[in-house]
Amino acid sequence: MRDATAIVGIGNTEYAKALDRPEKVLALEAILAALDDAGIDPADVDGLASYTMEGTEEIEIARNLGCRAVTWFGQVGYGGGAGCGVVGNAAMAVASGQCDVAVAWRSRKRGAAASRPWAGVRDRVGGNQQWSRPWGLLRPVDEIAMLTRRYLHEYGGSREHLCNVAMAARGHANRNPAATMHAKPMTRDDYFAARWISEPLCLFDNCLETDGAGAVVIVRADRARDCRTRPAYVHSWAQSIPLDHQTMTNFFTDDPLRGPAWDCAAKLWAGADVGPDDVDVAQLYDAFSPLVLLSLEGYGFCGRGEAPGFTEDGGIALGGRLPVNTSGGGMSEAYVHGFNLIIEAVRQVRGTSTAQVPDAEVSLVTSGEGVPTSALLLVRR
Amino acid sequence: MTDAAEAGPFDGMLKPAIDDDSRPFWEACDRGELRIQRCAACGVRRMPPRPLCPHCRSFETAWDVMSGRATVWSVLVAHPPLLPAYGDQAPYNVVVVALDDDPSIRLVGNVVAAGDAPLDSIDPHTVEIGDAVTVAFRRLADDVALPVWVPA
Ligand SMILES: [Zn+2]
């Protein structure tokens, strides 16, 4: 299905700590914006793709948009690992003819206190969580802090390199008026003065808490050429659950620092005419800064243990070896389960990013590392 | 009968919802034993427990008593915001240990001064990867004794 489909519409709400409209309304706003961007009538939408964690059901979207007949719909699980898989599955449905106009979206009011990780947590924790939560390993940040400490022990690297990730994202956000942190520059001193959350991770190693929604529209390549925007062709996409993987608390495999990104990357590159060296710009899922280091290695931009060095000397900032998270990403633009990263990957192919990589032709976006994941390779034609 | 942990230092801490897969592990802990699931057909141990051996696809399982000696594989220091019962003991360490008897088996835990000592009973910044530790058990409820680790 190489280049058989394309993203022809992108849309998002504003991003903020707290928005007054419900998630359903935010979802509809983002989807309408994406359809308007593409120049496609909402009635023509016949495919709907979302996350299992999405709070607005397909039927709500369909009956609000006035979709004549939805003939394909599907969801992908595992939270932040889902995003590229949601778009990829929609592209597959379009390519195979199950639908002609697919919309993928994510809407989230994470800033609300009721959606915090332990809202509604009970005295007893079951399933996989019984092997971690009772000992006070409570939050996603703790799960990643555990892997990070081991990474730094095995490979060297230091908080300076985590700071490089946070600083690159913030610098890009400072160029992006839509980014939550647009007007808030950050210095290295700011980073090192921040309070601990879960050592070795501090506040600025964490993503934002954001209310907002994003959506994309996917059609076949022949139809894409008639849309009003420059198509971002879906060149390759992949998902992965590696051997013996346990989501988030992936401490029990032979090699916990080799996460789902590695198998996802192998599948992604096997389906592509290009490789890591051809990628012009990457949006690497950044719920936490160390995930960017793991993803740089997993997707083959450097060898294992080499990601800290890769971030040095502006390596992942605009103008560097590989500009990463050019909208500000989850850490400085918005945290919408990675959907804003997908939208930014499209902007780069169109040439409309606020941190535009000149003549970007090959644009990678990845979903969460450390959970069953996915990735999407978009190209300009 | 009241919950053994009620009004104690561990009140409000999370307890496992024991299920079919995990019951032999927690029942062993309740007796003061650290037992790990092993495939009765091919002999490979696995953690977390599950019904089917991913190596030989046998459903037959056995549960080995382990020595309780382990080595710290990784460690974090947790700071608030945390659930109140944990926030009260922060900052505290959480570790992943590898069992000395079978380093392929790792467990999440805490390094503490003794089985009945709180999470902050040891300066969390003194816990290092490679530290030798020995299992102890913290009584959290009538049916739950949580394996924790004391410096060897
Ligand atoms: Zn077996």
Side-chain angles (χ1 to χ4, degrees):
Chain A
M1 54 173 281
R2 211 169 292 191
D3 304 328
T5 63
I7 297 174
V8 293
I10 55 176
N12 56 268
T13 64
E14 73 270 41
Y15 300 126
K17 249 196 154 61
L19 296 176
D20 53 0
R21 293 97 75 202
E23 277 183 356
K24 187 194 302 184
V25 172
L26 297 177
L28 293 167
E29 288 177 7
I31 293 169
L32 286 174
L35 289 164
D36 183 58
D37 183 50
I40 291 177
D41 184 342
D44 293 343
V45 173
D46 58 358
L48 293 171
S50 61
Y51 297 52
T52 56
M53 290 178 76
E54 174 64 29
T56 306
E57 294 183 308
E58 297 94 340
I59 55 167
E60 290 293 335
I61 299 297
R63 68 182 186 178
N64 276 279
L65 288 186
C67 302
R68 263 190 311 277
V70 173
T71 59
W72 178 85
F73 45 95
Q75 294 186 329
V76 179
Y78 305 104
C84 295
V86 172
V87 175
N89 273 280
M92 193 160 65
V94 168
S96 67
Q98 296 302 114
C99 58
D100 292 320
V101 178
V103 163
W105 84 95
R106 181 74 175 114
S107 176
R108 199 171 192 212
K109 295 191 72 169
R110 186 179 170 87
S115 75
R116 292 293 166 82
W118 55 76
V121 75
R122 303 222 295 242
D123 185 46
R124 295 266 172 167
V125 285
N128 284 339
Q129 295 194 344
Q130 72 186 287
W131 307 112
S132 57
R133 295 292 187 264
W135 294 271
L137 190 121
L138 300 174
R139 307 161 296 187
V141 65
D142 300 316
E143 296 165 329
I144 301 305
M146 191 70 83
L147 292 176
T148 305
R149 177 63 61 87
R150 183 69 196 184
Y151 180 96
L152 298 177
H153 172 81
E154 283 197 18
Y155 295 123
S158 71
R159 293 189 64 213
E160 294 287 345
H161 301 103
L162 302 177
C163 177
N164 290 344
V165 174
M167 292 288 291
R170 185 60 64 94
H172 298 149
N174 294 150
R175 303 169 64 108
N176 174 10
T180 308
M181 292 299 180
H182 171 63
K184 293 181 180 159
M186 185 169 80
T187 66
R188 299 188 81 83
D189 286 347
D190 293 334
Y191 174 89
F192 283 100
R195 64 190 168 88
W196 291 118
I197 303 296
S198 190
E199 295 179 53
L201 302 180
C202 72
L203 179 66
F204 292 127
D205 293 308
N206 287 255
C207 62
L208 302 165
E209 302 273 331
T210 307
D211 285 7
V216 300
V217 180
I218 302 131
V219 300
R220 273 192 316 278
D222 56 348
R223 181 163 183 172
R225 286 185 280 274
D226 300 330
C227 289
R228 59 166 73 133
T229 57
R230 166 177 254 168
Y233 291 92
V234 177
H235 184 68
S236 181
W237 75 282
Q239 292 176 285
S240 93
I241 298 174
L243 180 66
D244 212 20
H245 178 69
Q246 178 167 309
T247 186
M248 288 308 287
T249 50
N250 189 38
F251 310 138
F252 307 102
T253 65
D254 281 348
D255 186 358
L257 299 177
R258 185 192 182 281
W262 272 258
D263 290 343
C264 188
K267 187 71 180 168
L268 184 80
W269 300 128
D273 297 332
V274 296
D277 290 346
D278 302 304
V279 172
D280 296 304
V281 58
Q283 315 302 321
L284 304 179
Y285 187 88
D286 60 344
F288 306 102
S289 61
L291 299 184
V292 171
L293 301 184
L294 292 170
S295 296
L296 284 168
E297 297 175 9
Y299 287 93
F301 296 107
C302 58
R304 294 196 66 181
E306 293 176 359
F310 194 93
T311 68
E312 291 176 352
D313 307 316
I316 59 171
L318 189 60
R321 280 180 282 279
L322 178 72
V324 170
N325 297 348
T326 46
S327 69
M331 300 179 69
S332 281
E333 185 192 35
Y335 184 68
V336 195
H337 256 159
F339 214 88
N340 55 316
L341 302 181
I342 295 169
I343 291 170
E344 172 66 6
V346 174
R347 284 193 211 106
Q348 285 287 353
V349 167
R350 291 183 180 183
T352 59
S353 171
T354 51
Q356 181 63 43
V357 172
D359 301 317
E361 291 183 7
V362 180
S363 177
L364 172 69
V365 54
T366 72
S367 293
E369 173 57 348
V371 296
T373 195
S374 53
L376 191 57
L377 194 62
L378 303 177
V379 301
R380 196 175 79 193
R381 277 274 169 268
Chain B
M1 187 158 172
T2 57
D3 192 315
E6 206 168 300
F10 307 126
D11 193 28
M13 291 179 69
L14 301 176
K15 300 160 194 71
I18 297 169
D19 56 36
D20 290 345
D21 292 341
S22 67
R23 186 164 293 110
F25 178 90
W26 293 114
E27 287 181 350
C29 289
D30 193 49
R31 298 190 299 269
E33 294 173 349
L34 183 66
R35 282 186 184 260
I36 296 295
Q37 188 184 40
R38 170 172 54 83
C39 172
C42 76
V44 177
R45 293 193 185 94
R46 56 185 189 258
M47 180 69 205
R50 72 205 74 160
L52 185 64
C53 172
H55 303 282
C56 76
R57 284 82 194 185
S58 169
F59 283 104
E60 300 303 315
T61 60
W63 287 81
D64 293 341
V65 179
M66 311 304 279
S67 71
R69 288 188 298 274
T71 302
V72 174
W73 182 85
S74 190
V75 55
L76 63 80
V77 180
H79 295 258
L82 291 156
L83 276 175
Y86 293 87
D88 292 346
Q89 303 176 70
Y92 60 81
N93 75 81
V94 186
V95 293
V96 169
V97 300
L99 300 187
D100 290 357
D101 301 337
D102 184 344
S104 75
I105 299 299
R106 301 191 195 100
L107 298 169
V108 175
N110 310 109
V111 180
V112 288
D116 58 359
L119 292 178
D120 57 355
S121 57
I122 281 187
D123 175 355
H125 296 104
T126 63
V127 181
E128 301 281 358
I129 291 173
D131 285 357
V133 292
T134 307
V135 76
F137 293 90
R138 175 192 297 148
R139 177 61 58 180
L140 282 187
D142 286 343
D143 61 338
V144 178
L146 201 65
V148 294
W149 303 89
V150 296

